[in-house]
Amino acid sequence: MSLPPPLVPAHRDLPEITIKALVLGIVLAMLLGAANAYIGLLVGLTVSASIPAAAASMGLLRLFKRSNILENNMVQTAASAGESLVAGMIFTVPALILMQAWDTYQYWPCVTIAIIGGILGVAFTVPLRRALIIEAQLKFPEGVVTAEVLKTGGVETDKSQAATNTNPAREKDFKNLLQAAGISGLFKLFESGFGLLAGSVATTKALFAGSFLFTGSFALSPALVGVGYVVGLNIALLIFLGGAIGTLIGVPLNWWLNSNELMALSGIAAHTPTSEFSQTDWNNIASQAWSQNRRIGVGAMLVGGIWSLIALAKPLIAGVKSSIAAYKTASSAGNNGVLRTEHDTPIHYVLWVALAATIPLFLVFYNALAGYNSAALIAAVMTILMLFFGFIFSSVAGYMAGLIGNSNNPVSGVTIATVVVSAFILLQLMGNQGIAGQLGPIAVIYLAALVCTGAAIAGDNLQDLKCGHIVGATPWRQQLFQVIGVASAALIIPLILQILDAGYGIGRPAENNPTGSYLSAPQASLMKDLASSMFGAGLQWTFIYIGFALAVVLIVLDEIQRRRGSNFRIPVLAVAVGIYLPLGLSIPIFIGGLIAHRLKNKNKLLDKSTQQQRENSSLIVASGLITGEALMGVAIAIVAAFIMPLAHTASFAWATGLLALAGVVYYQARKG
């Protein structure tokens, strides 16, 4: 089956790389990258920035005399590349702080990791574009939606004909994006900035004479409602299911089975009757029980990551073979016979980039292993592992983006596989005695960061190239803008991480945060635990074995659903993330998923065009809720880090917070 012709035909060469597109792409890459850092560290999930970037681009570029759809496409390409790069970094780099390898987020090491990993991620997607988009014709759902959003702006706009060319749908989308961002930004300001709204409500109760321990929470966050809307009910429900397993089921069960151990960990003397426990004691016990239960998520993620690789092995090999064959054909024909809309970056440039990357890669690993006798040898091995894992896992991420979209892409799964395999290899080469046991986990996290950034970029870039294929963009120009987005975001990532760590705390509370809440950074905490445990730092495997068993059950159930042809699937990693997250974060995500499901059913009776338009508008509103709260969160973190600490929460804030969030939920539902 052939693909439909692009919106802008190959013979028409509209301006794509312009000064205004370049500047706007860089600015949005930085802004949306900062927003994604906050959301990703908070909840362990990131969402594609392509849709809000496309809406913002159309709203801003119309202020100029002339703009066109291909310029808008370039802007969203750079912006979403910056956002995805941040995802790869926040899933891994904070582990270096948590394992005390770094005292602070070191600027140039962070920038170096981000740029090398990101550019390699772009390079690895070049030979995959034709195989996955044209020959395999994968869906790339978010790329298709982004193209639909761009189409609302028309192909070309001339300000002298503004009276006839103004598109009401485009105007409405841009207005909705700003409005939703303003609402969620104000919510965050009144919550963290003034303390008039609560960020969460929580309770811990000992029932039935202390034999049953209930603990639960509910995060009050417009951004998480938006995240739930974007990922949809299927994923949102599974995340909530994971939270229920880890908290509502796991905590009371853990207390029932391991009461003596939990009492000891909470500093309570043995044989103390539960009637003498204070509320603080119960809170500490619940916290210890939940911390142990998180290891169930670790086990589930391990098995889920390995299963993802096994499931994708066959289509991945076929895709790579197809790509190589396509490039051989293109090389023999030369560029003279290649249409503008099929003109990729020449393959020999890609090979030169990969070859040139070996030098900075070697230096990165060599510096990470400074003080080890055979640092040069191990750094060379790590460089080879990075190029091998980088290409394989970038291909996996690109393929998954084609199937389920980039927001649902289990990049953390392939990163977990990287950590486990590379740690096993290094353990055989270095051992775990003395300085080797200290530097080995650090080198593993460096490798994981490089692979994760490459994989995150690969999925997003192929999604953008799908969008470009639909609208008629020139692939090599998009690939260039992807590199620009990577470089722009890389320059600010360490600054954003340092600000968020100083304002809220990443993986543990900051000194200037009296609320005690912080950005949980679930993936980074997991990477730290895995890398350290592989080198003998100790990890209780009982709960991880439970996670193994749970993952196997979920995989079997998912296979049953797949063979039945069901639309409701059960990916292991979504449940595992839910177990690893505090329950309270999964509840607003679940609410957002319910809203998405309700609106989807409500719009089923409409014609396809109207249905698509409403779906796009609702996604833009959800993206605005995410972006507004996240950017305000970064702004408040700057104040908390350098001017004054976060405000104490008022006693009535739980009630006002619930009412305000109910208003946000109503707003999202009405905008659908």
Side-chain angles (χ1 to χ4, degrees), residues 95-166:
L96 295 170
I97 298 290
L98 297 177
M99 62 173 52
Q100 299 180 343
W102 290 357
D103 295 328
T104 185
Y105 288 94
Q106 300 178 18
Y107 186 80
W108 288 113
C110 278
V111 171
T112 303
I113 290 171
I115 288 181
I116 296 174
I119 290 178
L120 284 175
V122 174
F124 292 149
T125 61
V126 171
L128 295 174
R129 184 193 70 85
R130 178 182 293 273
L132 299 184
I133 294 175
I134 298 174
E135 297 187 12
Q137 295 188 25
L138 298 184
K139 293 180 180 179
F140 290 96
E142 288 166 345
V144 173
V145 172
T146 304
E148 291 298 324
V149 172
L150 290 174
K151 286 179 184 178
T152 65
V155 174
E156 191 168 5
T157 300
D158 188 333
K159 195 173 182 180
S160 65
Q161 297 176 327
T164 57
N165 283 352
T166 299

Side-chain angles (χ1 to χ4, degrees), residues 306-392:
I306 294 170
W307 175 250
S308 296
L309 298 181
I310 294 172
L312 288 172
K314 186 176 179 180
L316 174 62
I317 292 170
V320 172
K321 286 182 178 178
S322 174
S323 178
I324 293 172
Y327 259 101
K328 285 182 179 178
T329 303
S331 298
S332 62
N335 284 332
N336 292 333
V338 178
L339 296 174
R340 176 187 63 80
T341 52
E342 295 299 326
H343 191 178
D344 284 293
T345 302
I347 191 64
H348 60 277
Y349 286 8
V350 174
L351 296 175
W352 277 112
V353 166
L355 183 62
T358 58
I359 297 174
L361 280 173
F362 175 84
L363 294 176
V364 165
F365 293 125
Y366 185 80
N367 289 332
L369 293 162
Y372 182 65
N373 290 335
S374 303
L377 173 63
I378 302 301
V381 172
M382 298 289 282
T383 300
I384 295 171
L385 288 176
M386 165 54 203
L387 293 174
F388 176 74
F389 286 146
F391 178 71
I392 294 298

Side-chain angles (χ1 to χ4, degrees), residues 6-217:
L7 186 63
V8 179
H11 67 268
R12 188 176 183 189
D13 196 4
L14 294 177
E16 293 181 75
I17 299 178
T18 62
I19 295 298
K20 57 182 182 292
L22 177 65
V23 172
L24 188 54
I26 290 173
V27 171
L28 287 179
M30 292 181 171
L31 284 176
L32 296 177
N36 217 32
Y38 174 87
I39 291 298
L41 289 169
L42 175 67
V43 74
L45 294 171
T46 57
V47 294
S48 172
S50 295
I51 295 170
S57 172
M58 289 189 297
L60 294 171
L61 285 183
R62 68 176 297 275
L63 301 176
F64 294 87
K65 185 175 181 179
R66 296 184 70 86
S67 63
N68 67 75
I69 192 171
L70 300 188
E71 279 183 294
N72 286 314
N73 179 57
M74 287 296 171
V75 173
Q76 72 83 17
T77 296
S80 61
E83 162 266 328
S84 289
L85 183 78
V86 169
M89 292 292 285
I90 62 175
F91 287 169
T92 52
V93 170
L96 295 170
I97 298 290
L98 297 177
M99 62 173 52
Q100 299 180 343
W102 290 357
D103 295 328
T104 185
Y105 288 94
Q106 300 178 18
Y107 186 80
W108 288 113
C110 278
V111 171
T112 303
I113 290 171
I115 288 181
I116 296 174
I119 290 178
L120 284 175
V122 174
F124 292 149
T125 61
V126 171
L128 295 174
R129 184 193 70 85
R130 178 182 293 273
L132 299 184
I133 294 175
I134 298 174
E135 297 187 12
Q137 295 188 25
L138 298 184
K139 293 180 180 179
F140 290 96
E142 288 166 345
V144 173
V145 172
T146 304
E148 291 298 324
V149 172
L150 290 174
K151 286 179 184 178
T152 65
V155 174
E156 191 168 5
T157 300
D158 188 333
K159 195 173 182 180
S160 65
Q161 297 176 327
T164 57
N165 283 352
T166 299
N167 189 310
R170 178 182 60 184
E171 298 289 335
K172 182 180 178 182
D173 284 344
F174 184 56
K175 190 179 297 183
N176 284 342
L177 179 70
L178 293 180
Q179 187 181 73
I183 289 171
S184 63
L186 285 174
F187 189 107
K188 186 64 181 176
L189 177 63
F190 279 92
E191 181 250 305
S192 292
F194 301 143
L196 299 178
L197 303 177
S200 65
V201 292
T203 185
T204 297
K205 298 289 184 183
L207 306 174
F208 309 114
S211 61
F212 185 89
L213 183 60
F214 171 83
T215 185
S217 61

Side-chain angles (χ1 to χ4, degrees), residues 248-317:
L248 300 181
I249 298 173
V251 168
L253 186 61
N254 198 353
W255 167 241
W256 185 56
L257 296 174
N258 303 304
S259 57
N260 290 335
E261 179 185 351
L262 293 173
M263 287 171 61
L265 290 172
S266 303
I268 302 171
H271 309 300
T272 302
T274 56
S275 59
E276 296 181 10
F277 286 7
S278 66
Q279 184 60 47
T280 300
D281 291 334
W282 286 118
N283 291 342
N284 290 338
I285 289 171
S287 177
Q288 291 292 343
W290 177 77
S291 295
Q292 291 185 344
N293 294 342
R294 292 180 78 184
R295 296 175 187 137
I296 299 174
V298 174
M301 282 189 184
L302 277 171
V303 174
I306 294 170
W307 175 250
S308 296
L309 298 181
I310 294 172
L312 288 172
K314 186 176 179 180
L316 174 62
I317 292 170

